[in-house]
Amino acid sequence: MNRSLISTSFFVILILIWAACTGDLSGIGINLKLWPDYVMPPPSGVFEYLWDNSINGKIPMAMLVTLRRLFIGYFIGLVIGVPLGMLAARFRAVNDTLGVMGLGLQALPSVCWVPLACIWFGQSEAALLFVVIMGTLWSVLLSTQNGMNNVPPIYARAARTMGASSFYTLVFVTLPASLPFVVSGMKQGWAFAWRSLMAAEIYVAVASGFGLGQHLHYGRELQRMYQVIGIMFIIILIGLLADKILFSPTEKWLHRKWGTDKK
Amino acid sequence: MEERLKLEIQAYPAAKLSMEHIFKEFPSNRGTVKALDDASITINEGEFVCFVGPSGCGKSTMLNIIAGLEKPDSGIALIDGLPITGPGRDRLVMFQEHALFPWLDVISNVMFGLKQKPNLTDSERLEVAKYYLYLVKMDKFSKSNIHELSGGMRQRVALARALAPNPKILLMDEPFSALDAMTREQLYGDIQNIWKKRRKTIIFVTHNVREAVCLGDRVILFSPHPGRIRREFKVDLPRPRNINDHDLADLSQQITAELKGYQCAAECD
Ligand SMILES: Nc1ncnc2c1ncn2[C@@H]1O[C@H](COP(=O)(O)OP(=O)(O)OP(=O)(O)O)[C@@H](O)[C@H]1O
Ligand SMILES: [Mg+2]
Protein backbone atom coordinates (compact mmCIF):
# COMPACT_ATOMS: atom_id res chain seq x y z
CA MET A 1 0.00 0.00 0.00
CA ASN A 2 1.07 3.50 -0.81
CA ARG A 3 2.76 5.27 2.11
CA SER A 4 0.74 8.46 2.03
CA LEU A 5 -2.40 6.36 1.94
CA ILE A 6 -1.26 4.58 5.09
CA SER A 7 -0.69 7.81 6.99
CA THR A 8 -3.91 9.41 5.74
CA SER A 9 -5.99 6.45 6.80
CA PHE A 10 -4.21 6.40 10.16
CA PHE A 11 -5.28 9.96 10.91
CA VAL A 12 -8.80 9.48 9.55
CA ILE A 13 -9.26 6.46 11.81
CA LEU A 14 -7.84 8.37 14.77
CA ILE A 15 -10.33 11.19 14.27
CA LEU A 16 -13.17 8.71 13.80
CA ILE A 17 -12.33 7.03 17.10
CA TRP A 18 -12.15 10.43 18.78
CA ALA A 19 -15.53 11.36 17.27
CA ALA A 20 -17.06 8.04 18.28
CA CYS A 21 -15.94 8.31 21.91
CA THR A 22 -17.15 11.88 22.35
CA GLY A 23 -20.69 11.56 21.06
CA ASP A 24 -20.09 13.12 17.66
CA LEU A 25 -21.33 10.06 15.80
CA SER A 26 -24.71 9.78 17.57
CA GLY A 27 -26.27 10.61 14.20
CA ILE A 28 -25.30 7.16 12.92
CA GLY A 29 -26.27 5.38 16.10
CA ILE A 30 -23.03 5.38 18.09
CA ASN A 31 -24.08 6.87 21.40
CA LEU A 32 -20.85 6.90 23.30
CA LYS A 33 -19.83 9.78 25.57
CA LEU A 34 -16.88 8.67 27.65
CA TRP A 35 -15.83 12.08 29.01
CA PRO A 36 -17.49 15.41 29.76
CA ASP A 37 -16.68 18.21 27.30
CA TYR A 38 -14.28 19.96 29.66
CA VAL A 39 -12.10 16.85 29.68
CA MET A 40 -12.39 15.77 26.07
CA PRO A 41 -14.54 17.81 23.68
CA PRO A 42 -15.79 16.30 20.41
CA PRO A 43 -13.99 17.14 17.15
CA SER A 44 -17.03 19.17 16.11
CA GLY A 45 -16.60 21.43 19.16
CA VAL A 46 -12.93 22.02 18.39
CA PHE A 47 -13.67 22.66 14.75
CA GLU A 48 -16.47 25.06 15.64
CA TYR A 49 -14.14 26.99 17.93
CA LEU A 50 -11.46 27.21 15.24
CA TRP A 51 -13.96 28.25 12.60
CA ASP A 52 -15.73 30.93 14.66
CA ASN A 53 -12.54 32.44 15.96
CA SER A 54 -10.90 32.43 12.55
CA ILE A 55 -13.88 34.33 11.13
CA ASN A 56 -14.02 36.85 13.95
CA GLY A 57 -10.26 37.37 13.68
CA LYS A 58 -9.19 36.23 17.13
CA ILE A 59 -7.01 33.38 15.95
CA PRO A 60 -5.40 35.22 13.03
CA MET A 61 -4.67 38.07 15.43
CA ALA A 62 -3.09 35.70 17.96
CA MET A 63 -1.01 34.09 15.21
CA LEU A 64 0.15 37.49 14.10
CA VAL A 65 1.16 38.53 17.61
CA THR A 66 2.99 35.26 18.21
CA LEU A 67 4.77 35.17 14.84
CA ARG A 68 5.86 38.77 15.24
CA ARG A 69 7.52 37.95 18.55
CA LEU A 70 9.00 34.81 17.07
CA PHE A 71 10.50 36.56 14.04
CA ILE A 72 11.95 39.43 16.05
CA GLY A 73 13.45 37.17 18.69
CA TYR A 74 14.71 34.64 16.17
CA PHE A 75 16.20 37.35 14.01
CA ILE A 76 18.07 38.92 16.92
CA GLY A 77 19.27 35.46 17.95
CA LEU A 78 20.61 34.83 14.45
CA VAL A 79 22.25 38.21 14.10
CA ILE A 80 24.14 37.66 17.32
CA GLY A 81 24.58 33.88 17.14
CA VAL A 82 25.94 33.42 13.61
CA PRO A 83 28.86 35.89 13.89
CA LEU A 84 29.71 34.66 17.38
CA GLY A 85 29.71 31.09 16.07
CA MET A 86 32.13 32.11 13.33
CA LEU A 87 34.40 33.80 15.81
CA ALA A 88 34.28 30.75 18.04
CA ALA A 89 35.26 28.54 15.10
CA ARG A 90 38.12 30.82 14.17
CA PHE A 91 39.62 31.90 17.47
CA ARG A 92 40.43 29.43 20.18
CA ALA A 93 39.98 32.07 22.88
CA VAL A 94 36.38 32.71 21.78
CA ASN A 95 35.71 29.00 21.70
CA ASP A 96 37.12 28.50 25.18
CA THR A 97 34.96 31.31 26.57
CA LEU A 98 31.72 31.87 24.65
CA GLY A 99 31.77 28.40 23.12
CA VAL A 100 31.92 26.73 26.51
CA MET A 101 29.28 29.08 27.87
CA GLY A 102 27.07 28.22 24.89
CA LEU A 103 27.45 24.52 25.58
CA GLY A 104 26.35 25.08 29.15
CA LEU A 105 23.45 27.37 28.43
CA GLN A 106 22.18 25.22 25.60
CA ALA A 107 21.72 22.43 28.11
CA LEU A 108 19.30 24.68 29.96
CA PRO A 109 15.72 24.21 28.70
CA SER A 110 14.63 27.66 27.59
CA VAL A 111 11.55 27.66 29.83
CA CYS A 112 14.00 27.92 32.71
CA TRP A 113 14.76 31.47 31.59
CA VAL A 114 11.16 32.54 32.28
CA PRO A 115 11.45 33.27 36.02
CA LEU A 116 14.62 35.28 35.49
CA ALA A 117 13.11 37.15 32.55
CA CYS A 118 10.00 38.02 34.59
CA ILE A 119 12.10 39.49 37.38
CA TRP A 120 14.39 41.42 35.07
CA PHE A 121 11.82 42.67 32.59
CA GLY A 122 8.50 42.27 34.40
CA GLN A 123 5.43 40.97 32.60
CA SER A 124 6.45 42.59 29.35
CA GLU A 125 7.16 42.05 25.70
CA ALA A 126 10.87 42.34 26.51
CA ALA A 127 10.64 39.33 28.82
CA LEU A 128 9.16 37.24 26.01
CA LEU A 129 11.79 38.34 23.54
CA PHE A 130 14.55 37.66 26.02
CA VAL A 131 13.41 34.07 26.44
CA VAL A 132 13.20 33.53 22.69
CA ILE A 133 16.63 35.04 22.12
CA MET A 134 18.18 32.87 24.83
CA GLY A 135 16.52 29.83 23.29
CA THR A 136 17.83 30.64 19.81
CA LEU A 137 21.20 32.20 20.36
CA TRP A 138 23.19 29.35 21.87
CA SER A 139 22.00 26.65 19.56
CA VAL A 140 22.68 28.87 16.53
CA LEU A 141 26.11 29.76 17.87
CA LEU A 142 27.06 26.14 18.41
CA SER A 143 25.80 24.87 15.08
CA THR A 144 27.43 27.70 13.15
CA GLN A 145 30.71 26.93 14.87
CA ASN A 146 30.27 23.26 14.15
CA GLY A 147 29.47 24.07 10.53
CA MET A 148 32.60 26.16 10.07
CA ASN A 149 34.72 23.43 11.63
CA ASN A 150 33.20 20.96 9.18
CA VAL A 151 34.40 22.83 6.11
CA PRO A 152 36.92 20.65 4.26
CA PRO A 153 40.32 22.36 4.70
CA ILE A 154 41.10 21.77 1.04
CA TYR A 155 38.86 24.69 0.04
CA ALA A 156 40.86 27.19 2.04
CA ARG A 157 44.12 25.66 0.80
CA ALA A 158 42.95 25.97 -2.78
CA ALA A 159 41.96 29.60 -2.22
CA ARG A 160 45.29 30.41 -0.61
CA THR A 161 47.30 28.94 -3.46
CA MET A 162 45.25 31.10 -5.83
CA GLY A 163 46.51 34.10 -3.94
CA ALA A 164 43.43 34.93 -1.85
CA SER A 165 44.08 36.82 1.39
CA SER A 166 42.95 35.22 4.61
CA PHE A 167 40.06 37.69 5.01
CA TYR A 168 38.91 37.11 1.43
CA THR A 169 39.15 33.36 2.05
CA LEU A 170 37.05 33.62 5.20
CA VAL A 171 34.29 35.65 3.56
CA PHE A 172 34.21 34.10 0.10
CA VAL A 173 35.27 30.53 0.79
CA THR A 174 34.87 29.34 4.37
CA LEU A 175 31.59 31.17 4.87
CA PRO A 176 29.78 29.90 1.77
CA ALA A 177 31.33 26.46 2.28
CA SER A 178 29.74 26.25 5.72
CA LEU A 179 26.32 27.44 4.53
CA PRO A 180 24.58 24.04 4.59
CA PHE A 181 25.66 23.55 8.20
CA VAL A 182 24.71 27.08 9.13
CA VAL A 183 21.25 26.54 7.67
CA SER A 184 20.93 23.30 9.61
CA GLY A 185 21.81 25.37 12.66
CA MET A 186 19.24 27.99 11.73
CA LYS A 187 16.63 25.28 11.45
CA GLN A 188 17.50 23.95 14.85
CA GLY A 189 17.51 27.50 16.20
CA TRP A 190 14.04 28.02 14.79
CA ALA A 191 12.75 24.92 16.57
CA PHE A 192 14.27 26.17 19.81
CA ALA A 193 12.83 29.66 19.33
CA TRP A 194 9.38 28.23 18.70
CA ARG A 195 9.48 26.07 21.82
CA SER A 196 10.79 28.86 24.01
CA LEU A 197 8.20 31.33 22.83
CA MET A 198 5.35 28.95 23.57
CA ALA A 199 6.73 28.33 27.04
CA ALA A 200 7.14 32.04 27.64
CA GLU A 201 3.68 32.96 26.39
CA ILE A 202 2.04 30.42 28.66
CA TYR A 203 3.78 31.85 31.71
CA VAL A 204 3.96 35.52 30.88
CA ALA A 205 0.63 37.23 30.37
CA VAL A 206 1.20 40.67 28.90
CA ALA A 207 -1.24 43.35 27.95
CA SER A 208 0.69 44.18 24.79
CA GLY A 209 -0.82 41.31 22.83
CA PHE A 210 -2.51 37.97 23.17
CA GLY A 211 -0.50 35.27 21.49
CA LEU A 212 -1.26 31.61 20.90
CA GLY A 213 0.42 30.59 24.15
CA GLN A 214 -1.72 32.99 26.11
CA HIS A 215 -4.89 31.63 24.49
CA LEU A 216 -3.72 28.20 25.51
CA HIS A 217 -3.19 29.38 29.06
CA TYR A 218 -6.64 31.02 29.33
CA GLY A 219 -8.24 27.99 27.74
CA ARG A 220 -7.04 26.08 30.77
CA GLU A 221 -8.04 28.79 33.28
CA LEU A 222 -11.56 28.90 31.85
CA GLN A 223 -11.72 25.12 31.42
CA ARG A 224 -12.38 25.54 27.72
CA MET A 225 -10.87 22.31 26.50
CA TYR A 226 -11.97 22.88 22.87
CA GLN A 227 -9.90 26.06 22.88
CA VAL A 228 -6.87 24.26 24.34
CA ILE A 229 -6.98 21.54 21.73
CA GLY A 230 -7.81 23.94 18.90
CA ILE A 231 -4.84 26.17 19.70
CA MET A 232 -2.61 23.12 20.01
CA PHE A 233 -3.54 22.22 16.45
CA ILE A 234 -2.63 25.71 15.26
CA ILE A 235 0.73 25.51 17.01
CA ILE A 236 1.48 22.15 15.43
CA LEU A 237 0.48 23.54 12.05
CA ILE A 238 2.80 26.53 12.25
CA GLY A 239 5.71 24.37 13.40
CA LEU A 240 5.15 21.89 10.58
CA LEU A 241 4.77 24.55 7.91
CA ALA A 242 7.98 26.31 8.88
CA ASP A 243 9.91 23.07 8.85
CA LYS A 244 8.44 21.38 5.81
CA ILE A 245 8.10 24.43 3.60
CA LEU A 246 10.88 26.73 4.69
CA PHE A 247 13.76 24.87 6.25
CA SER A 248 13.84 21.26 5.16
CA PRO A 249 13.72 21.90 1.40
CA THR A 250 16.36 24.64 1.63
CA GLU A 251 18.55 22.44 3.75
CA LYS A 252 18.19 19.45 1.44
CA TRP A 253 18.89 21.53 -1.62
CA LEU A 254 22.02 23.04 -0.09
CA HIS A 255 23.42 19.74 1.09
CA ARG A 256 22.83 18.22 -2.32
CA LYS A 257 24.45 21.05 -4.21
CA TRP A 258 27.38 21.29 -1.79
CA GLY A 259 27.87 17.55 -1.89
CA THR A 260 27.60 17.36 1.90
CA ASP A 261 24.54 15.13 2.05
CA LYS A 262 24.96 11.83 3.80
CA LYS A 263 23.92 9.20 1.35
CA MET B 1 40.71 39.95 -29.10
CA GLU B 2 42.08 43.01 -27.44
CA GLU B 3 45.85 43.38 -27.36
CA ARG B 4 46.21 43.33 -23.58
CA LEU B 5 44.13 40.22 -23.33
CA LYS B 6 46.26 38.44 -25.90
CA LEU B 7 49.29 39.32 -23.89
CA GLU B 8 47.66 38.00 -20.74
CA ILE B 9 46.90 34.67 -22.30
CA GLN B 10 49.99 34.36 -24.46
CA ALA B 11 52.57 35.35 -21.93
CA TYR B 12 54.55 32.19 -21.46
CA PRO B 13 55.90 32.42 -17.97
CA ALA B 14 57.71 29.38 -16.70
CA ALA B 15 60.02 29.17 -13.80
CA LYS B 16 63.12 27.36 -12.74
CA LEU B 17 62.89 25.62 -9.45
CA SER B 18 65.65 24.48 -7.20
CA MET B 19 65.19 22.58 -4.01
CA GLU B 20 68.37 21.91 -2.09
CA HIS B 21 68.80 19.59 0.90
CA ILE B 22 65.20 19.72 2.01
CA PHE B 23 64.41 18.13 5.37
CA LYS B 24 60.91 17.82 6.76
CA GLU B 25 59.68 15.86 9.76
CA PHE B 26 56.19 15.38 11.11
CA PRO B 27 55.39 14.36 14.66
CA SER B 28 53.37 11.17 14.87
CA ASN B 29 52.30 8.94 17.71
CA ARG B 30 55.20 6.60 16.96
CA GLY B 31 57.92 9.21 17.13
CA THR B 32 58.70 11.53 14.25
CA VAL B 33 58.19 10.66 10.60
CA LYS B 34 60.94 11.75 8.25
CA ALA B 35 58.77 12.82 5.34
CA LEU B 36 61.73 14.26 3.45
CA ASP B 37 65.34 13.48 4.23
CA ASP B 38 67.91 15.54 2.34
CA ALA B 39 65.93 15.76 -0.87
CA SER B 40 67.41 17.88 -3.64
CA ILE B 41 66.04 18.47 -7.10
CA THR B 42 66.37 21.04 -9.84
CA ILE B 43 63.61 21.56 -12.35
CA ASN B 44 64.12 23.62 -15.46
CA GLU B 45 61.83 26.17 -17.00
CA GLY B 46 59.02 24.59 -18.94
CA GLU B 47 59.94 21.09 -17.87
CA PHE B 48 57.34 18.42 -17.19
CA VAL B 49 58.49 16.37 -14.20
CA CYS B 50 56.72 13.44 -12.60
CA PHE B 51 57.19 12.22 -9.03
CA VAL B 52 56.52 8.55 -8.42
CA GLY B 53 57.05 6.38 -5.41
CA PRO B 54 55.24 4.26 -2.86
CA SER B 55 52.75 5.78 -0.47
CA GLY B 56 54.23 7.91 2.29
CA CYS B 57 57.52 8.73 0.59
CA GLY B 58 57.07 12.49 0.75
CA LYS B 59 55.82 13.33 -2.74
CA SER B 60 52.91 15.43 -1.52
CA THR B 61 55.12 16.98 1.14
CA MET B 62 57.58 18.11 -1.51
CA LEU B 63 54.73 19.48 -3.59
CA ASN B 64 53.26 21.35 -0.62
CA ILE B 65 56.64 22.88 0.16
CA ILE B 66 56.91 24.10 -3.41
CA ALA B 67 53.35 25.41 -3.17
CA GLY B 68 54.29 27.27 -0.01
CA LEU B 69 51.61 25.48 2.00
CA GLU B 70 54.26 23.77 4.10
CA LYS B 71 57.64 25.01 5.34
CA PRO B 72 60.72 22.76 5.27
CA ASP B 73 62.58 22.23 8.56
CA SER B 74 65.76 23.06 6.74
CA GLY B 75 66.98 23.38 3.20
CA ILE B 76 66.67 25.95 0.47
CA ALA B 77 63.64 26.26 -1.81
CA LEU B 78 64.11 28.75 -4.66
CA ILE B 79 61.99 29.83 -7.59
CA ASP B 80 63.99 31.70 -10.21
CA GLY B 81 66.54 32.30 -7.49
CA LEU B 82 64.08 33.74 -4.96
CA PRO B 83 63.14 31.89 -1.77
CA ILE B 84 59.61 30.53 -1.39
CA THR B 85 57.93 32.28 1.54
CA GLY B 86 54.31 31.22 1.20
CA PRO B 87 51.58 30.37 -1.28
CA GLY B 88 51.50 32.52 -4.39
CA ARG B 89 49.74 32.95 -7.68
CA ASP B 90 52.86 31.92 -9.57
CA ARG B 91 52.41 28.33 -8.32
CA LEU B 92 48.96 26.82 -8.60
CA VAL B 93 47.99 23.47 -7.22
CA MET B 94 45.59 20.94 -8.62
CA PHE B 95 44.60 18.58 -5.85
CA GLN B 96 43.66 14.93 -5.89
CA GLU B 97 40.06 15.77 -5.05
CA HIS B 98 38.91 18.51 -7.34
CA ALA B 99 38.54 21.18 -4.59
CA LEU B 100 36.18 23.16 -6.80
CA PHE B 101 33.79 25.41 -4.91
CA PRO B 102 30.32 23.84 -5.12
CA TRP B 103 28.52 27.13 -4.41
CA LEU B 104 29.89 28.63 -7.62
CA ASP B 105 29.11 27.55 -11.16
CA VAL B 106 31.85 26.37 -13.51
CA ILE B 107 32.81 29.75 -14.94
CA SER B 108 32.81 31.45 -11.53
CA ASN B 109 35.15 28.78 -10.25
CA VAL B 110 37.58 29.55 -13.04
CA MET B 111 37.11 33.26 -12.33
CA PHE B 112 38.02 32.85 -8.65
CA GLY B 113 41.76 32.71 -9.21
CA LEU B 114 41.58 35.45 -11.85
CA LYS B 115 39.83 37.77 -9.41
CA GLN B 116 42.90 37.62 -7.20
CA LYS B 117 44.91 39.00 -10.08
CA PRO B 118 45.12 42.79 -10.23
CA ASN B 119 45.38 44.86 -13.43
CA LEU B 120 42.60 43.07 -15.26
CA THR B 121 39.06 44.31 -15.88
CA ASP B 122 36.16 42.00 -15.15
CA SER B 123 35.32 41.56 -18.81
CA GLU B 124 38.91 40.63 -19.53
CA ARG B 125 38.79 38.09 -16.73
CA LEU B 126 35.66 36.62 -18.21
CA GLU B 127 37.31 36.30 -21.61
CA VAL B 128 40.34 34.61 -20.11
CA ALA B 129 38.13 32.20 -18.15
CA LYS B 130 36.19 31.32 -21.29
CA TYR B 131 39.40 30.70 -23.19
CA TYR B 132 40.63 28.19 -20.62
CA LEU B 133 37.30 26.42 -20.41
CA TYR B 134 37.51 26.07 -24.16
CA LEU B 135 41.04 24.73 -23.82
CA VAL B 136 39.87 21.93 -21.50
CA LYS B 137 36.77 21.36 -23.64
CA MET B 138 34.34 22.48 -20.98
CA ASP B 139 33.12 25.68 -22.64
CA LYS B 140 29.65 24.21 -23.11
CA PHE B 141 29.27 23.74 -19.37
CA SER B 142 30.26 27.17 -18.13
CA LYS B 143 26.95 27.70 -16.36
CA SER B 144 26.68 24.20 -14.88
CA ASN B 145 26.77 23.43 -11.20
CA ILE B 146 29.72 21.43 -9.95
CA HIS B 147 27.56 18.63 -8.54
CA GLU B 148 26.10 18.05 -11.99
CA LEU B 149 29.48 17.21 -13.51
CA SER B 150 31.18 13.82 -13.74
CA GLY B 151 34.53 13.23 -12.02
CA GLY B 152 36.45 13.70 -15.26
CA MET B 153 34.62 16.94 -16.06
CA ARG B 154 35.36 18.26 -12.59
CA GLN B 155 39.07 17.61 -13.03
CA ARG B 156 38.95 19.42 -16.37
CA VAL B 157 37.39 22.43 -14.70
CA ALA B 158 39.95 22.22 -11.90
CA LEU B 159 42.66 22.22 -14.55
CA ALA B 160 41.16 25.29 -16.21
CA ARG B 161 40.95 27.02 -12.84
CA ALA B 162 44.61 26.27 -12.17
CA LEU B 163 45.72 27.38 -15.64
CA ALA B 164 43.66 30.57 -15.88
CA PRO B 165 45.79 32.86 -13.68
CA ASN B 166 48.74 31.84 -15.86
CA PRO B 167 50.96 30.44 -13.10
CA LYS B 168 54.63 29.83 -13.74
CA ILE B 169 54.45 26.42 -12.16
CA LEU B 170 51.58 23.98 -12.12
CA LEU B 171 51.61 21.47 -9.28
CA MET B 172 49.40 18.43 -9.73
CA ASP B 173 48.96 15.95 -6.89
CA GLU B 174 47.52 12.71 -8.25
CA PRO B 175 44.92 14.68 -10.17
CA PHE B 176 43.56 11.75 -12.16
CA SER B 177 43.75 8.95 -9.63
CA ALA B 178 40.00 8.89 -9.00
CA LEU B 179 39.11 8.63 -12.68
CA ASP B 180 38.46 5.61 -14.87
CA ALA B 181 41.05 4.49 -17.41
CA MET B 182 39.18 5.83 -20.45
CA THR B 183 38.77 9.32 -19.06
CA ARG B 184 42.38 9.31 -17.92
CA GLU B 185 43.69 8.42 -21.35
CA GLN B 186 41.74 11.28 -22.83
CA LEU B 187 43.16 13.65 -20.27
CA TYR B 188 46.74 12.49 -20.97
CA GLY B 189 46.24 13.63 -24.55
CA ASP B 190 44.68 16.89 -23.48
CA ILE B 191 47.27 17.76 -20.92
CA GLN B 192 50.15 17.11 -23.32
CA ASN B 193 48.41 19.36 -25.82
CA ILE B 194 47.90 22.11 -23.31
CA TRP B 195 51.42 21.82 -22.05
CA LYS B 196 52.70 22.16 -25.63
CA LYS B 197 50.57 25.27 -26.15
CA ARG B 198 51.10 26.87 -22.78
CA ARG B 199 54.66 25.75 -21.90
CA LYS B 200 54.67 25.74 -18.15
CA THR B 201 56.77 24.06 -15.57
CA ILE B 202 54.62 21.15 -14.45
CA ILE B 203 55.20 18.85 -11.51
CA PHE B 204 52.94 15.86 -11.54
CA VAL B 205 52.63 13.39 -8.67
CA THR B 206 51.31 9.91 -9.36
CA HIS B 207 51.39 6.29 -8.24
CA ASN B 208 51.03 5.17 -11.80
CA VAL B 209 54.41 4.64 -13.44
CA ARG B 210 52.98 4.46 -16.94
CA GLU B 211 51.19 7.71 -16.41
CA ALA B 212 54.48 9.27 -15.32
CA VAL B 213 56.38 7.96 -18.33
CA CYS B 214 53.59 9.05 -20.65
CA LEU B 215 53.63 12.63 -19.40
CA GLY B 216 57.04 13.51 -18.03
CA ASP B 217 60.33 14.68 -19.49
CA ARG B 218 61.82 13.23 -16.35
CA VAL B 219 60.50 10.73 -13.83
CA ILE B 220 61.78 11.18 -10.28
CA LEU B 221 61.71 8.13 -8.01
CA PHE B 222 61.08 8.57 -4.29
CA SER B 223 61.52 5.96 -1.59
CA PRO B 224 59.90 5.98 1.85
CA HIS B 225 61.08 5.82 5.48
CA PRO B 226 62.77 8.23 5.30
CA GLY B 227 61.45 10.02 2.23
CA ARG B 228 64.30 10.32 -0.25
CA ILE B 229 64.83 10.97 -3.92
CA ARG B 230 66.51 7.82 -5.19
CA ARG B 231 66.88 8.04 -8.89
CA GLU B 232 65.64 9.77 -11.98
CA PHE B 233 64.84 8.54 -15.45
CA LYS B 234 64.93 10.74 -18.50
CA VAL B 235 62.12 10.04 -20.94
CA ASP B 236 63.15 10.80 -24.50
CA LEU B 237 60.18 9.31 -26.31
CA PRO B 238 58.59 11.50 -28.98
CA ARG B 239 55.43 13.44 -28.16
CA PRO B 240 52.51 13.25 -28.17
CA ARG B 241 52.87 9.95 -26.40
CA ASN B 242 50.34 7.20 -26.28
CA ILE B 243 50.10 5.35 -23.01
CA ASN B 244 49.82 2.02 -24.81
CA ASP B 245 53.04 2.56 -26.74
CA HIS B 246 55.62 -0.26 -26.69
CA ASP B 247 58.73 1.73 -25.77
CA LEU B 248 56.75 3.48 -23.12
CA ALA B 249 55.70 0.17 -21.62
CA ASP B 250 59.30 -1.07 -21.61
CA LEU B 251 60.57 1.94 -19.74
CA SER B 252 57.67 1.71 -17.30
CA GLN B 253 58.57 -1.86 -16.56
CA GLN B 254 62.15 -0.93 -15.85
CA ILE B 255 61.05 1.81 -13.46
CA THR B 256 58.50 -0.40 -11.77
CA ALA B 257 61.17 -3.04 -11.13
CA GLU B 258 63.38 -0.39 -9.54
CA LEU B 259 60.47 0.83 -7.37
CA LYS B 260 59.69 -2.69 -6.18
CA GLY B 261 63.26 -2.88 -4.93
CA TYR B 262 62.68 0.17 -2.69
CA GLN B 263 59.47 -1.18 -1.32
CA CYS B 264 61.10 -4.47 -0.38
CA ALA B 265 64.05 -2.67 1.17
CA ALA B 266 61.65 -0.63 3.29
CA GLU B 267 59.69 -3.69 4.35
CA CYS B 268 62.78 -5.74 5.12
CA ASP B 269 64.11 -3.07 7.52
N1 LIG C 1 50.41 17.02 8.09
C1 LIG C 1 51.04 15.89 8.45
N2 LIG C 1 51.09 15.50 9.74
C2 LIG C 1 51.73 14.38 10.11
N3 LIG C 1 52.33 13.55 9.25
C3 LIG C 1 52.32 13.86 7.96
C4 LIG C 1 51.65 15.05 7.48
N4 LIG C 1 51.82 15.09 6.13
C5 LIG C 1 52.51 14.01 5.81
N5 LIG C 1 52.83 13.27 6.88
C6 LIG C 1 53.62 12.03 6.88
O1 LIG C 1 54.75 12.24 6.09
C7 LIG C 1 55.00 11.13 5.25
C8 LIG C 1 55.02 11.57 3.81
O2 LIG C 1 53.70 11.96 3.46
P1 LIG C 1 53.29 12.44 2.01
O3 LIG C 1 51.87 12.85 2.07
O4 LIG C 1 54.25 13.43 1.51
O5 LIG C 1 53.42 11.08 1.20
P2 LIG C 1 53.05 10.80 -0.31
O6 LIG C 1 54.28 10.36 -0.97
O7 LIG C 1 52.33 11.96 -0.90
O8 LIG C 1 52.07 9.57 -0.16
P3 LIG C 1 50.79 9.21 -1.03
O9 LIG C 1 51.31 8.63 -2.27
O10 LIG C 1 50.09 8.19 -0.21
O11 LIG C 1 50.00 10.47 -1.23
C9 LIG C 1 53.92 10.11 5.57
O12 LIG C 1 54.46 9.13 6.40
C10 LIG C 1 52.86 10.89 6.26
O13 LIG C 1 52.25 10.09 7.24
MG1 LIG D 1 50.30 12.31 -1.57
Side-chain angles (χ1 to χ4, degrees), chain A residues 5-253:
Chain A
L5 195 64
I6 294 182
S7 25
T8 315
S9 22
F10 171 75
F11 287 108
V12 168
I13 291 170
L14 212 60
I15 292 175
L16 280 178
I17 293 175
W18 176 18
C21 297
T22 49
D24 246 4
L25 297 185
S26 52
I28 57 167
I30 304 176
N31 269 316
L32 212 56
K33 181 104 184 112
L34 294 183
W35 306 281
D37 273 0
Y38 66 85
V39 176
M40 193 66 201
S44 60
V46 174
F47 181 78
E48 200 178 317
Y49 165 80
L50 287 176
W51 179 258
D52 290 346
N53 288 279
S54 298
I55 301 284
N56 71 19
K58 258 195 195 149
I59 288 180
M61 194 58 212
M63 284 166 76
L64 213 67
V65 168
T66 294
L67 286 176
R68 207 180 129 257
R69 288 172 183 151
L70 184 67
F71 279 122
I72 295 176
Y74 178 61
F75 184 74
I76 297 176
L78 280 188
V79 167
I80 305 175
V82 171
L84 285 184
M86 288 172 191
L87 290 176
R90 193 136 174 90
F91 300 105
R92 182 162 304 159
V94 181
N95 175 45
D96 293 345
T97 50
L98 280 178
V100 172
M101 184 159 129
L103 270 179
L105 291 181
Q106 204 210 6
L108 183 73
S110 41
V111 65
C112 303
W113 285 104
V114 173
L116 184 145
C118 286
I119 294 174
W120 281 7
F121 301 101
Q123 302 267 320
S124 71
E125 203 73 13
L128 292 171
L129 278 183
F130 180 77
V131 175
V132 177
I133 292 169
M134 284 301 128
T136 317
L137 177 59
W138 307 109
S139 94
V140 170
L141 188 156
L142 291 178
S143 40
T144 305
Q145 179 187 10
N146 184 37
M148 301 275 285
N149 289 337
N150 262 314
V151 173
I154 193 158
Y155 290 142
R157 281 165 86 91
R160 275 173 59 209
T161 63
M162 285 188 275
S165 70
S166 53
F167 179 75
Y168 190 92
T169 304
L170 176 70
V171 176
F172 292 100
V173 178
T174 310
L175 203 58
S178 64
L179 196 61
F181 300 101
V182 172
V183 169
S184 296
M186 284 168 66
K187 174 176 145 173
Q188 197 192 335
W190 171 270
F192 274 96
W194 186 227
R195 281 158 182 68
S196 0
L197 179 60
M198 285 306 105
E201 281 192 343
I202 288 175
Y203 286 105
V204 185
V206 295
S208 51
F210 244 51
L212 290 170
Q214 280 120 1
H215 277 282
L216 203 57
H217 175 72
Y218 285 104
R220 180 191 74 103
E221 296 266 286
L222 305 172
Q223 301 220 335
R224 289 188 193 146
M225 199 55 176
Y226 49 87
Q227 177 172 339
V228 170
I229 292 177
I231 295 289
M232 281 168 73
F233 275 127
I234 302 269
I235 293 173
I236 290 173
L237 190 72
I238 293 177
L240 275 184
L241 285 184
D243 187 74
K244 294 284 176 270
I245 291 180
L246 206 62
F247 285 104
S248 288
T250 319
E251 195 187 15
K252 258 199 204 123
W253 180 81

Side-chain angles (χ1 to χ4, degrees), chain A residues 154-165 168 172-174 176-177 256-259, chain B residues 64 69 87-89 91-93 95 97 99-103 112-113 115-116 145 147 161:
Chain A
I154 193 158
Y155 290 142
R157 281 165 86 91
R160 275 173 59 209
T161 63
M162 285 188 275
S165 70
Y168 190 92
F172 292 100
V173 178
T174 310
R256 200 172 75 84
K257 185 164 175 192
W258 264 234
Chain B
N64 287 335
L69 290 168
R89 263 197 303 281
R91 287 151 282 143
L92 282 189
V93 189
F95 297 94
E97 313 100 272
L100 294 171
F101 303 139
W103 54 93
F112 187 94
K115 280 198 187 136
Q116 313 305 319
N145 285 312
H147 78 276
R161 183 172 77 169

